[in-house]
Amino acid sequence: MSDHQQAHRSRRRVLCGLGATVVASAFGTSATAATVRTRQDGTDDTDGLNGDADTAGRYADIYEEVIDDVVLVTVGGPEDEGPEGMGSGFVLEDDYVVTNNHVVGDASEVELQFRDEQWTTAEVVGTDAHSDIAVLDPEEVPDAVDGLSFVEETPTIGQEVLALGNPLGFDASITQGIVSGVDRSLPSPTGFSIPAAIQTDASLNPGNSGGPLVTLEGEVVGIVFAGASQTIGFAISAQLADRVVPELIETGEYTHPYMGVGVLPVDPVLADANDLEEARGVLVTEIVPGGPADGVLEAADGGTVTGDTVIPTGGDVIVAIEDEPIPNQDALSASLALETSPGDSIDLEVIRDGERETVDLELEERPAVDGP
């Protein structure tokens, strides 16, 4: 083992010991011990803060089932300064490792450490900045690793989930929460949003990025992307990842569909200004010259002043794609990302000059952008 790897191992052991000390001093009991609380009627409630013993047992079972598939990802840096980047990842059933693109950056190789402290080098075989996903090919995988799989269906809001990874460098950690929302759009440094994202209240911190968000059946509902606060975190959806990852393995890149429009959600004020019957859909406010929508869709060409705000008027309002309703901008992004590919011709139902009509638009490949 190299000095660089020994340094990482030593640091992880120190952090792990520190974490155990913090937990013991904060709670004074083991993680599975029942906590006594007093009900309003004066009797004791010994079910525990996070549910009864059966629930705690399920969490422990899933942890043991999944944690061997979760890895620490480090990007090399000067030995005296530590790694340039650190995050989490997880092994798929075909032994490839998935993580965030922002974790690996421009690296061509990274170092992985498994739960059993084994280190291995992994080649970066594909990255996609638009979805913030990267795929790694490790030189070795321990025998204990089985690999995880993505769920096929969108999770239910309120469904319990567990986040596993290495927050703040504390290895092999787990937090619990629920799915707080679906079909969120996340900001991306490329200028395009990451669609169809999962929102959760599971605690996420730096170092969790790239780790799995799993169901109580041990299936991956999302790739942890970011934590916005103590109660709001986000993950790239399994549905998007399941489209992107195979292409990254096969070709090293992924091509996203592109309409070439700018849009605004139709709220009550915009609906009133445009004499629309209901506040649903998205108004086309901009069309990229020479793009797929040029000559097919019509952009807003007027405006009306409400207070100190100019409300755009005219232009097409997109209300459906292939007969599927598009109530807002997030739904438009999710539909394009999960249901279409460059080269597809799609039927758009639009409201134009107060009348509904259908137009045909051929999607193109999203243009390259300057950015991470």
Side-chain angles (χ1 to χ4, degrees), residues 57-83:
R58 290 205 310 274
Y59 299 158
D61 289 343
I62 295 302
Y63 178 84
E64 288 302 323
E65 178 183 334
V66 172
I67 196 60
D68 285 325
D69 301 304
V70 180
V71 299
L72 172 74
V73 181
T74 62
V75 180
E79 291 189 8
D80 58 343
E81 296 181 5

Side-chain angles (χ1 to χ4, degrees), residues 1-12 74 79 111-113 117-121:
M1 181 181 295
S2 68
D3 292 340
H4 178 63
Q5 292 172 339
Q6 286 281 13
H8 283 313
R9 171 174 289 187
S10 297
R11 181 175 183 274
R12 278 163 57 82
T74 62
E79 291 189 8
E111 297 294 324
L112 307 180
Q113 189 179 39
E117 301 290 333
Q118 176 178 328
W119 283 94
T120 190
T121 299

Side-chain angles (χ1 to χ4, degrees), residues 133 150-155 182-183 195-198 220-223 236-246 254 334 337-339:
I133 296 175
F150 294 114
V151 298
E152 296 182 0
E153 304 296 332
T154 301
V182 297
D183 287 337
I198 306 298
V220 179
V221 298
I223 305 168
I236 301 155
S237 71
Q239 287 70 38
L240 180 59
D242 205 25
R243 288 173 65 92
V244 173
V245 169
Y254 182 79
L338 302 182
E339 304 295 338

Side-chain angles (χ1 to χ4, degrees), residues 34-107:
T35 300
V36 177
R37 296 176 294 177
T38 302
R39 296 189 181 99
Q40 291 182 349
D41 62 6
T43 61
D44 288 337
D45 174 6
T46 57
D47 285 343
L49 289 175
N50 292 315
D52 58 20
D54 289 341
T55 300
R58 290 205 310 274
Y59 299 158
D61 289 343
I62 295 302
Y63 178 84
E64 288 302 323
E65 178 183 334
V66 172
I67 196 60
D68 285 325
D69 301 304
V70 180
V71 299
L72 172 74
V73 181
T74 62
V75 180
E79 291 189 8
D80 58 343
E81 296 181 5
E84 294 177 351
M86 178 181 295
S88 303
F90 57 95
V91 184
L92 298 175
E93 291 173 330
D94 54 10
D95 286 349
Y96 285 99
V97 171
V98 174
T99 186
N100 285 146
N101 178 72
H102 77 257
V103 171
V104 302
D106 295 328

